[in-house]
Amino acid sequence: MRVAAGARGENIEHLKLRLEARPPTLLLFTEPSEPLPEESKPVEMPFHHCHRDPLPPPGLTPERLHARRQLYAACAVCFVFMAGEVVGGYLAHSLAIMTDAAHLLADVGSMMGSLFSLWLSTRPATRTMTFGWHRSETLGALASVVSLWMVTGILLYLAFVRLLHSDYHIEGGAMLLTASIAVCADLLMAFVLHQAGPPHSHGSRGAEYAPLEEGPEEPLPLGNTSVRAAFVHVLGDLLQSFGVLAASILIYFKPQYKAADPISTFLFSICALGSTAPTLRDVLRILMEGTPRNVGFEPVRDTLLSVPGVRATHELHLWALTLTYHVASAHLAIDSTADPEAVLAEASSRLYSRFGFSSCTLQVEQYQPEMAQCLRCQEPPQA
C-alpha cells in the first residue's frame, strides 16, 4: 500500500510539472500573459482609394439646418395667421378670406411634411435603401403641390356656386382688416423662406449647388427643394391676398359689388395653380429619372471622351435624387496601352470638378472594334 501511494504521489508531481511547462495561453481558467488583439474597426483614411471627399458628418448639413429653421419659423407664422383668417373670414362672411385661410392650412401641412422629409433624409443608407432617404425631400415637395391643387379645386367650386347664387352678405370692414393682415403675413413668410442660406461648398459632396456645365464658374444656388416648394406656395398666397385686399376695398366702399369676392377667389386660385408648375415639373423630372437640369448629356459624354486613353463611352446614365444631388454612371472603353487606374481617376476627377456630381460610378473596359456596331453601346436618341 505504501508503494502504491508513493507511486501515485510521483504521478501527481509529474503531472504538475507537465502543466507548468505548457504555454500560459493553453492553461484552463488562467489569464493570458498578454491581452488578445482587438478586432480591427473601419476607420476613415485621410486619402481613400476611391472616395474623393471625406465621410460627411452625421445629421443635417448646414444648408439643411438653415432650411429647417426657415420652415419652423414660417410654419409658426402661417399657423397663427391662418387661425386669424378663419375667424376674420367667418365674421366677414367672405369666401375669399376663407380661401386664403385654406391655402394657409395647406401651407402648414406641406411645411410639416417638408420638416418630416428633412428629418427622414438624414437617415443613413441601408442594404434596402442603398442611396439613403434623399428622395423623401422630393416626395415632400410633390405632396405640397398636390395638397394645394386639391384645396384650390374645392374653393374654385365654392366660388362658382357663389357666382350662380347671390344670397350672401359680406361685412366689408372685417374683410378689409383681415385681408390687410393676410398680406402682411404672406410678406413675412416670403421673407423667412427666401433662399438666402449660409455659404456653400463647391465639392462633390456639397450638394447645395446646381452642377456646372463647364469650368469652375460660380454655379447658381437652387436651395432646398422643400423650402423652394413652400416659397412657391407663399408666393401664390401672396398674389391671392393682394387680390382679396383689392376686392375687400371695393366691397367696403361699394357693397353692391359683392360679386368681387368669388371672382377674386376664382382668378387668383388659377394663378396659384400656375405658380406650382415649375416645382411640379422639377419633381416629375426627378421621379422619372430624367437628366438633371443644367447638366447636358453631350457635355458629360465629351468630357469623358477627352480623357487620355478613352476611345468610346456607352451606358451613360445621368439622374438625380434631389434638385442638387446628381448621380452619373458610365462604361469607358479604353486603349489596350492605357492605364485603367489612371483613366478612372482622371475621369472621376473631371466629372466631380466640372459638373458637381455627388456620386459617380465608372466601369473601365478594353475597347473592342465590334462596339461600334453593338446596339446596346449606341447613344440614346434625342428626346
Side-chain angles (χ1 to χ4, degrees):
M1 294 294 295
R2 290 181 180 178
V3 175
R8 189 180 300 111
E10 292 178 359
N11 290 336
I12 293 175
E13 292 294 332
H14 182 64
L15 181 60
K16 288 181 179 181
L17 292 175
R18 290 179 61 186
L19 290 174
E20 292 175 357
R22 291 185 179 184
T25 56
L26 298 179
L27 294 176
L28 297 177
F29 311 110
T30 58
E31 294 291 335
S33 59
E34 295 181 1
L36 296 177
E38 296 181 358
E39 294 184 0
S40 59
K41 298 181 179 179
V43 296
E44 183 184 359
M45 301 173 64
F47 180 77
H48 203 274
H49 60 96
C50 63
H51 301 297
R52 181 174 180 267
D53 289 335
L55 187 67
L60 293 172
T61 62
E63 184 262 345
R64 292 195 171 195
L65 285 173
H66 181 74
R68 186 175 65 177
R69 288 193 295 267
Q70 286 177 305
L71 289 172
Y72 274 135
C75 191
V77 173
C78 188
F79 181 81
V80 171
F81 283 97
M82 177 198 68
E85 279 198 323
V86 169
V87 175
Y90 176 78
L91 296 177
H93 308 290
S94 171
L95 180 60
I97 296 295
M98 299 300 289
T99 299
D100 206 28
H103 280 178
L104 290 180
L105 176 61
D107 288 346
V108 170
S110 65
M111 290 177 195
M112 293 180 65
S114 299
L115 288 170
F116 175 75
S117 67
L118 279 176
W119 169 80
L120 193 63
S121 64
T122 61
R123 297 185 61 184
T126 64
R127 295 184 182 182
T128 302
M129 308 294 290
T130 55
F131 273 111
W133 300 81
H134 297 280
R135 192 159 283 179
S136 62
E137 179 184 324
T138 304
L139 295 177
L142 178 61
S144 174
V145 172
V146 171
S147 65
L148 179 59
W149 280 46
M150 293 176 61
V151 172
T152 303
I154 296 173
L155 296 171
L156 282 174
Y157 169 76
L158 296 176
F160 181 74
V161 171
R162 276 205 169 184
L163 286 176
L164 293 179
H165 307 284
S166 299
D167 53 344
Y168 60 93
H169 173 71
I170 297 178
E171 295 290 342
M175 182 180 178
L176 179 60
L177 177 61
T178 307
S180 302
I181 297 175
V183 170
C184 297
D186 288 330
L187 289 173
L188 179 59
M189 284 191 295
F191 176 77
V192 171
L193 291 172
H194 187 265
Q195 294 288 346
H200 302 288
S201 63
H202 294 264
S204 65
R205 299 291 306 181
E208 291 84 359
Y209 275 126
L212 302 179
E213 284 290 346
E214 291 292 340
E217 293 88 356
E218 286 291 327
L220 297 175
L222 291 178
N224 181 272
T225 315
S226 300
V227 176
R228 181 171 177 243
F231 182 69
V232 170
H233 256 190
V234 172
L235 288 183
D237 289 342
L238 182 59
L239 287 175
Q240 179 171 329
S241 297
F242 276 120
V244 173
L245 180 61
S248 65
I249 294 175
L250 178 62
I251 294 174
Y252 180 76
F253 291 102
K254 299 288 184 179
Q256 63 271 25
Y257 294 130
K258 63 180 181 180
D261 180 74
I263 291 176
S264 63
T265 301
F266 187 79
L267 294 177
F268 287 95
S269 292
I270 295 177
C271 293
L273 290 178
S275 66
T276 62
T279 301
L280 185 62
R281 178 196 60 203
D282 293 337
V283 167
L284 293 179
R285 189 185 187 99
I286 292 173
L287 295 180
M288 292 299 295
E289 305 287 352
T291 302
R293 283 200 312 160
N294 303 325
V295 178
F297 183 90
E298 290 80 8
V300 175
R301 177 203 60 196
D302 295 341
T303 298
L304 293 174
L305 291 176
S306 66
V307 176
V310 176
R311 292 282 301 277
T313 65
H314 57 274
E315 296 290 342
L316 176 58
H317 299 285
L318 311 172
W319 70 100
L321 299 181
T322 68
L323 277 177
T324 53
Y325 194 106
H326 301 161
V327 187
S329 66
H331 291 197
L332 305 181
I334 64 174
D335 293 323
S336 57
T337 57
D339 182 7
E341 293 293 336
V343 170
L344 179 62
E346 179 65 19
S348 300
S349 176
R350 293 189 183 189
L351 290 182
Y352 282 127
S353 60
R354 296 188 183 184
F355 302 98
F357 285 108
S358 300
S359 177
C360 294
T361 303
L362 302 177
Q363 176 178 316
V364 179
E365 56 197 26
Q366 188 172 350
Y367 176 77
Q368 302 293 337
E370 54 267 21
M371 288 181 177
Q373 287 75 35
C374 177
L375 294 179
R376 298 187 62 181
C377 295
Q378 305 304 312
E379 294 182 0
Q382 290 284 350

